[in-house]
Amino acid sequence: MASIYHINKGVNKPIEFKGLKAQYITYLAFGLVILLLLFSAMYILGINLFICIVTIAISGTALFMTVFRLSHKYGQYGLLKKAARRYVPTAIKARSRKVFKFLYGKD
């Protein structure tokens, strides 16, 4: 009897939806939830419905454009790498030679 094995292609591939990759899907989802809450708050406060819709439409368009631009520009991990780059020191200062002597095994 022959065994049948199923191959899972794309196991290590990032999640992608309509061109958005990895964490950018989450950013877009949180942005849309914030826009929904903003719309409901504006509506409850009694702001004109036309102003509410126009404000949310402009903000939503800006959100989509920004998230898609970041996704295409930085890719899956690029934005995280850009944020981590701030913590890399530009120079390392050594006040004595003990560190280098220890590296080469000399006392």
Side-chain angles (χ1 to χ4, degrees), residues 10 12-16 21-22 76-77:
N12 291 328
K13 286 187 179 180
I15 298 171
E16 186 172 345
K21 296 176 185 162
Q76 181 182 359
Y77 298 115

Side-chain angles (χ1 to χ4, degrees), residues 3-99:
S3 297
I4 298 174
Y5 296 100
H6 298 283
I7 298 173
N8 293 327
K9 297 179 182 180
V11 171
N12 291 328
K13 286 187 179 180
I15 298 171
E16 186 172 345
F17 178 73
K18 303 257 184 197
L20 288 179
K21 296 176 185 162
Q23 75 269 18
Y24 301 104
I25 297 171
T26 307
Y27 297 157
L28 185 64
F30 283 134
L32 290 174
V33 169
I34 289 170
L35 287 178
L36 178 67
L37 293 174
L38 179 66
F39 177 78
S40 61
M42 290 171 65
Y43 186 75
I44 289 172
L45 289 174
I47 298 174
N48 188 0
L49 186 62
F50 180 73
I51 295 172
C52 293
I53 292 173
V54 169
T55 304
I56 298 303
I58 291 171
S59 301
T61 303
L63 174 71
F64 270 86
M65 289 173 58
T66 304
V67 170
F68 271 96
R69 189 182 79 238
L70 290 174
S71 177
H72 290 296
K73 182 176 182 180
Y74 293 114
Q76 181 182 359
Y77 298 115
L79 192 57
L80 297 174
K81 288 180 184 178
K82 182 180 178 187
R85 189 166 294 183
R86 290 184 286 169
Y87 298 107
V88 175
T90 56
I92 299 174
K93 295 182 181 180
R95 304 218 185 265
S96 71
R97 296 179 358 174
K98 288 181 183 179
V99 176

